[in-house]
Amino acid sequence: MGATKTSGVRPERDAYGQEIWNCYKGNSTYEVVERDDGLIDLGTAQPYFREFDHWATAEREAITWARGRVLDVGAGAGRVALYLQPRGHEVLSIDNSPLAVKVAKLRGAKQARVLDARKIGTLRGPSDTTLFDSALFDTIVMYGNNFGLFGGTAQGQRMLATMHRITSAEAKIIGSATDPYQTDDPLHREYQRRNRRRGRMSGQLRLRIRYRQYCGDWFDYLLASVEEVEKMVKGTGWKIGEVVQQPGPGYVVILVKA
Ligand SMILES: C[S@@+](CC[C@H](N)C(=O)[O-])C[C@H]1O[C@@H](n2cnc3c(N)ncnc32)[C@H](O)[C@@H]1O
């Protein structure tokens, strides 16, 4: 397995971090995203270095919901912290990629640490960080389609329950998501049917990232429609407060405490 003691990926498995590092150094970069049916696609980390004015419209609009202490989950190069810190927010950026955390810090994220999103339950406690001694978070941000990190129903519900525990009464989760049904591609349609036959959510993708000689571990990544999000959050202490749509399959969902 690729996990280390700190729940981060091992350096030799940190394909995404290597890409972020090269992007940070000014190189143009592309990663190969490999799905478990053999499909490969190209992606790039470059959008995650963009200034606010160039963010997706839904992400720009939804970030105005951020309040108080913020936990940025899967923070990448730290663009959310760089936007929110000057606006008076204390932000803790977490990412399971050691190199992403290094880049986020170099770019000015004040509090960034290597942590797997599935381990955020360990965040409370006085020995934690200087900014967040025993404090609850008021906002959790999951941008760059990081709603996908919920992975699927069971893992998602566990993470949502933990998020409920480590957040204040008025807290919100602001997550960007993708509706898997807005596609005509027969390969995606068939993958979704195969998922349903196997009892998985239609948009539950099994992926791994390759970059240059690096290859990450396989992980589940969830694409979900608004209706599926509504179903998934039921019973976790959260409900949909707002959906910010934009052209195309991407949208931002804001969860509030039920
Ligand atoms: C698409 S990037 C988005 C970065 C950032 N949220 C943004 O919008 O600019 C996804 C990030 O999530 C991180 N990530 C993936 N799986 C993770 C996990 N299980 N726990 C924490 N971070 C994770 C990756 O290392 C990567 O930096």
PDB file of all heavy atoms in Angstrom, residues 91-111:
ATOM      1  N   VAL A  91      -7.115  29.096   8.093  1.00  0.00           N
ATOM      2  CA  VAL A  91      -7.343  27.955   7.203  1.00  0.00           C
ATOM      3  C   VAL A  91      -6.341  26.855   7.517  1.00  0.00           C
ATOM      4  O   VAL A  91      -5.141  27.116   7.612  1.00  0.00           O
ATOM      5  CB  VAL A  91      -7.185  28.357   5.712  1.00  0.00           C
ATOM      6  CG1 VAL A  91      -7.495  27.173   4.800  1.00  0.00           C
ATOM      7  CG2 VAL A  91      -8.082  29.547   5.363  1.00  0.00           C
ATOM      8  N   LEU A  92      -6.831  25.653   7.693  1.00  0.00           N
ATOM      9  CA  LEU A  92      -5.951  24.488   7.766  1.00  0.00           C
ATOM     10  C   LEU A  92      -6.115  23.718   6.455  1.00  0.00           C
ATOM     11  O   LEU A  92      -7.219  23.282   6.117  1.00  0.00           O
ATOM     12  CB  LEU A  92      -6.313  23.589   8.953  1.00  0.00           C
ATOM     13  CG  LEU A  92      -5.525  22.275   9.028  1.00  0.00           C
ATOM     14  CD1 LEU A  92      -4.024  22.508   9.176  1.00  0.00           C
ATOM     15  CD2 LEU A  92      -6.025  21.420  10.197  1.00  0.00           C
ATOM     16  N   SER A  93      -5.021  23.617   5.712  1.00  0.00           N
ATOM     17  CA  SER A  93      -5.046  22.891   4.434  1.00  0.00           C
ATOM     18  C   SER A  93      -4.525  21.488   4.675  1.00  0.00           C
ATOM     19  O   SER A  93      -3.432  21.328   5.220  1.00  0.00           O
ATOM     20  CB  SER A  93      -4.125  23.576   3.412  1.00  0.00           C
ATOM     21  OG  SER A  93      -4.392  24.948   3.325  1.00  0.00           O
ATOM     22  N   ILE A  94      -5.279  20.480   4.270  1.00  0.00           N
ATOM     23  CA  ILE A  94      -4.769  19.108   4.389  1.00  0.00           C
ATOM     24  C   ILE A  94      -4.754  18.436   3.016  1.00  0.00           C
ATOM     25  O   ILE A  94      -5.594  18.710   2.159  1.00  0.00           O
ATOM     26  CB  ILE A  94      -5.563  18.252   5.393  1.00  0.00           C
ATOM     27  CG1 ILE A  94      -7.018  18.071   4.935  1.00  0.00           C
ATOM     28  CG2 ILE A  94      -5.487  18.806   6.795  1.00  0.00           C
ATOM     29  CD1 ILE A  94      -7.566  16.720   5.249  1.00  0.00           C
ATOM     30  N   ASP A  95      -3.790  17.581   2.827  1.00  0.00           N
ATOM     31  CA  ASP A  95      -3.681  16.837   1.571  1.00  0.00           C
ATOM     32  C   ASP A  95      -2.888  15.562   1.869  1.00  0.00           C
ATOM     33  O   ASP A  95      -2.000  15.570   2.725  1.00  0.00           O
ATOM     34  CB  ASP A  95      -2.942  17.679   0.520  1.00  0.00           C
ATOM     35  CG  ASP A  95      -3.262  17.228  -0.905  1.00  0.00           C
ATOM     36  OD1 ASP A  95      -2.827  16.122  -1.300  1.00  0.00           O
ATOM     37  OD2 ASP A  95      -3.950  17.973  -1.619  1.00  0.00           O
ATOM     38  N   ASN A  96      -3.200  14.485   1.168  1.00  0.00           N
ATOM     39  CA  ASN A  96      -2.425  13.251   1.421  1.00  0.00           C
ATOM     40  C   ASN A  96      -1.132  13.219   0.599  1.00  0.00           C
ATOM     41  O   ASN A  96      -0.371  12.264   0.698  1.00  0.00           O
ATOM     42  CB  ASN A  96      -3.271  11.992   1.190  1.00  0.00           C
ATOM     43  CG  ASN A  96      -3.637  11.773  -0.263  1.00  0.00           C
ATOM     44  OD1 ASN A  96      -3.411  12.642  -1.094  1.00  0.00           O
ATOM     45  ND2 ASN A  96      -4.217  10.623  -0.560  1.00  0.00           N
ATOM     46  N   SER A  97      -0.894  14.258  -0.183  1.00  0.00           N
ATOM     47  CA  SER A  97       0.339  14.327  -0.967  1.00  0.00           C
ATOM     48  C   SER A  97       1.367  15.210  -0.262  1.00  0.00           C
ATOM     49  O   SER A  97       1.167  16.422  -0.133  1.00  0.00           O
ATOM     50  CB  SER A  97       0.034  14.913  -2.357  1.00  0.00           C
ATOM     51  OG  SER A  97       1.221  15.448  -2.910  1.00  0.00           O
ATOM     52  N   PRO A  98       2.492  14.612   0.179  1.00  0.00           N
ATOM     53  CA  PRO A  98       3.519  15.426   0.847  1.00  0.00           C
ATOM     54  C   PRO A  98       4.027  16.566  -0.042  1.00  0.00           C
ATOM     55  O   PRO A  98       4.272  17.661   0.443  1.00  0.00           O
ATOM     56  CB  PRO A  98       4.633  14.416   1.137  1.00  0.00           C
ATOM     57  CG  PRO A  98       3.954  13.078   1.175  1.00  0.00           C
ATOM     58  CD  PRO A  98       2.822  13.174   0.195  1.00  0.00           C
ATOM     59  N   LEU A  99       4.142  16.308  -1.345  1.00  0.00           N
ATOM     60  CA  LEU A  99       4.658  17.366  -2.222  1.00  0.00           C
ATOM     61  C   LEU A  99       3.637  18.489  -2.425  1.00  0.00           C
ATOM     62  O   LEU A  99       4.008  19.657  -2.517  1.00  0.00           O
ATOM     63  CB  LEU A  99       5.063  16.783  -3.581  1.00  0.00           C
ATOM     64  CG  LEU A  99       6.498  16.271  -3.664  1.00  0.00           C
ATOM     65  CD1 LEU A  99       6.744  15.620  -5.025  1.00  0.00           C
ATOM     66  CD2 LEU A  99       7.507  17.398  -3.442  1.00  0.00           C
ATOM     67  N   ALA A 100       2.353  18.141  -2.459  1.00  0.00           N
ATOM     68  CA  ALA A 100       1.318  19.182  -2.567  1.00  0.00           C
ATOM     69  C   ALA A 100       1.378  20.076  -1.330  1.00  0.00           C
ATOM     70  O   ALA A 100       1.311  21.310  -1.428  1.00  0.00           O
ATOM     71  CB  ALA A 100      -0.064  18.547  -2.718  1.00  0.00           C
ATOM     72  N   VAL A 101       1.529  19.461  -0.154  1.00  0.00           N
ATOM     73  CA  VAL A 101       1.585  20.233   1.091  1.00  0.00           C
ATOM     74  C   VAL A 101       2.808  21.158   1.080  1.00  0.00           C
ATOM     75  O   VAL A 101       2.729  22.321   1.456  1.00  0.00           O
ATOM     76  CB  VAL A 101       1.599  19.283   2.314  1.00  0.00           C
ATOM     77  CG1 VAL A 101       1.937  20.026   3.597  1.00  0.00           C
ATOM     78  CG2 VAL A 101       0.242  18.589   2.438  1.00  0.00           C
ATOM     79  N   LYS A 102       3.933  20.626   0.579  1.00  0.00           N
ATOM     80  CA  LYS A 102       5.145  21.441   0.482  1.00  0.00           C
ATOM     81  C   LYS A 102       4.900  22.669  -0.411  1.00  0.00           C
ATOM     82  O   LYS A 102       5.250  23.799  -0.058  1.00  0.00           O
ATOM     83  CB  LYS A 102       6.276  20.572  -0.090  1.00  0.00           C
ATOM     84  CG  LYS A 102       7.602  21.269  -0.223  1.00  0.00           C
ATOM     85  CD  LYS A 102       8.662  20.276  -0.681  1.00  0.00           C
ATOM     86  CE  LYS A 102       9.970  20.995  -0.988  1.00  0.00           C
ATOM     87  NZ  LYS A 102      11.023  20.083  -1.368  1.00  0.00           N
ATOM     88  N   VAL A 103       4.252  22.437  -1.553  1.00  0.00           N
ATOM     89  CA  VAL A 103       3.979  23.536  -2.487  1.00  0.00           C
ATOM     90  C   VAL A 103       2.994  24.532  -1.864  1.00  0.00           C
ATOM     91  O   VAL A 103       3.190  25.749  -1.953  1.00  0.00           O
ATOM     92  CB  VAL A 103       3.451  22.987  -3.838  1.00  0.00           C
ATOM     93  CG1 VAL A 103       2.915  24.114  -4.714  1.00  0.00           C
ATOM     94  CG2 VAL A 103       4.549  22.220  -4.561  1.00  0.00           C
ATOM     95  N   ALA A 104       1.949  24.024  -1.212  1.00  0.00           N
ATOM     96  CA  ALA A 104       0.966  24.925  -0.587  1.00  0.00           C
ATOM     97  C   ALA A 104       1.667  25.845   0.421  1.00  0.00           C
ATOM     98  O   ALA A 104       1.418  27.054   0.465  1.00  0.00           O
ATOM     99  CB  ALA A 104      -0.144  24.111   0.081  1.00  0.00           C
ATOM    100  N   LYS A 105       2.573  25.266   1.215  1.00  0.00           N
ATOM    101  CA  LYS A 105       3.307  26.075   2.210  1.00  0.00           C
ATOM    102  C   LYS A 105       4.200  27.102   1.513  1.00  0.00           C
ATOM    103  O   LYS A 105       4.235  28.263   1.899  1.00  0.00           O
ATOM    104  CB  LYS A 105       4.167  25.167   3.100  1.00  0.00           C
ATOM    105  CG  LYS A 105       3.374  24.453   4.174  1.00  0.00           C
ATOM    106  CD  LYS A 105       4.340  23.652   5.028  1.00  0.00           C
ATOM    107  CE  LYS A 105       3.632  22.954   6.176  1.00  0.00           C
ATOM    108  NZ  LYS A 105       4.442  21.851   6.699  1.00  0.00           N
ATOM    109  N   LEU A 106       4.933  26.649   0.487  1.00  0.00           N
ATOM    110  CA  LEU A 106       5.842  27.568  -0.224  1.00  0.00           C
ATOM    111  C   LEU A 106       5.057  28.726  -0.848  1.00  0.00           C
ATOM    112  O   LEU A 106       5.556  29.837  -0.962  1.00  0.00           O
ATOM    113  CB  LEU A 106       6.603  26.814  -1.323  1.00  0.00           C
ATOM    114  CG  LEU A 106       7.742  25.913  -0.842  1.00  0.00           C
ATOM    115  CD1 LEU A 106       8.235  25.009  -1.975  1.00  0.00           C
ATOM    116  CD2 LEU A 106       8.898  26.769  -0.315  1.00  0.00           C
ATOM    117  N   ARG A 107       3.810  28.451  -1.225  1.00  0.00           N
ATOM    118  CA  ARG A 107       2.984  29.505  -1.835  1.00  0.00           C
ATOM    119  C   ARG A 107       2.309  30.399  -0.806  1.00  0.00           C
ATOM    120  O   ARG A 107       1.652  31.368  -1.158  1.00  0.00           O
ATOM    121  CB  ARG A 107       1.930  28.863  -2.751  1.00  0.00           C
ATOM    122  CG  ARG A 107       2.526  28.489  -4.092  1.00  0.00           C
ATOM    123  CD  ARG A 107       1.634  27.631  -4.961  1.00  0.00           C
ATOM    124  NE  ARG A 107       0.206  27.762  -4.862  1.00  0.00           N
ATOM    125  CZ  ARG A 107      -0.556  28.535  -5.655  1.00  0.00           C
ATOM    126  NH1 ARG A 107      -0.010  29.240  -6.602  1.00  0.00           N
ATOM    127  NH2 ARG A 107      -1.872  28.561  -5.504  1.00  0.00           N
ATOM    128  N   GLY A 108       2.413  30.019   0.468  1.00  0.00           N
ATOM    129  CA  GLY A 108       1.900  30.928   1.497  1.00  0.00           C
ATOM    130  C   GLY A 108       0.766  30.396   2.354  1.00  0.00           C
ATOM    131  O   GLY A 108       0.230  31.139   3.187  1.00  0.00           O
ATOM    132  N   ALA A 109       0.383  29.131   2.179  1.00  0.00           N
ATOM    133  CA  ALA A 109      -0.635  28.560   3.072  1.00  0.00           C
ATOM    134  C   ALA A 109      -0.001  28.469   4.468  1.00  0.00           C
ATOM    135  O   ALA A 109       1.049  27.856   4.642  1.00  0.00           O
ATOM    136  CB  ALA A 109      -1.069  27.192   2.574  1.00  0.00           C
ATOM    137  N   LYS A 110      -0.650  29.101   5.468  1.00  0.00           N
ATOM    138  CA  LYS A 110      -0.007  29.225   6.780  1.00  0.00           C
ATOM    139  C   LYS A 110      -0.020  27.917   7.557  1.00  0.00           C
ATOM    140  O   LYS A 110       0.885  27.632   8.321  1.00  0.00           O
ATOM    141  CB  LYS A 110      -0.722  30.312   7.591  1.00  0.00           C
ATOM    142  CG  LYS A 110      -0.467  31.708   7.054  1.00  0.00           C
ATOM    143  CD  LYS A 110      -1.135  32.734   7.946  1.00  0.00           C
ATOM    144  CE  LYS A 110      -0.957  34.130   7.361  1.00  0.00           C
ATOM    145  NZ  LYS A 110      -1.956  35.060   7.862  1.00  0.00           N
ATOM    146  N   GLN A 111      -1.085  27.149   7.411  1.00  0.00           N
ATOM    147  CA  GLN A 111      -1.205  25.875   8.121  1.00  0.00           C
ATOM    148  C   GLN A 111      -1.513  24.798   7.098  1.00  0.00           C
ATOM    149  O   GLN A 111      -2.620  24.784   6.537  1.00  0.00           O
ATOM    150  CB  GLN A 111      -2.346  25.939   9.130  1.00  0.00           C
ATOM    151  CG  GLN A 111      -2.068  26.807  10.338  1.00  0.00           C
ATOM    152  CD  GLN A 111      -1.134  26.112  11.322  1.00  0.00           C
ATOM    153  OE1 GLN A 111      -1.228  24.908  11.522  1.00  0.00           O
ATOM    154  NE2 GLN A 111      -0.234  26.872  11.920  1.00  0.00           N
TER     155      GLN A 111
END
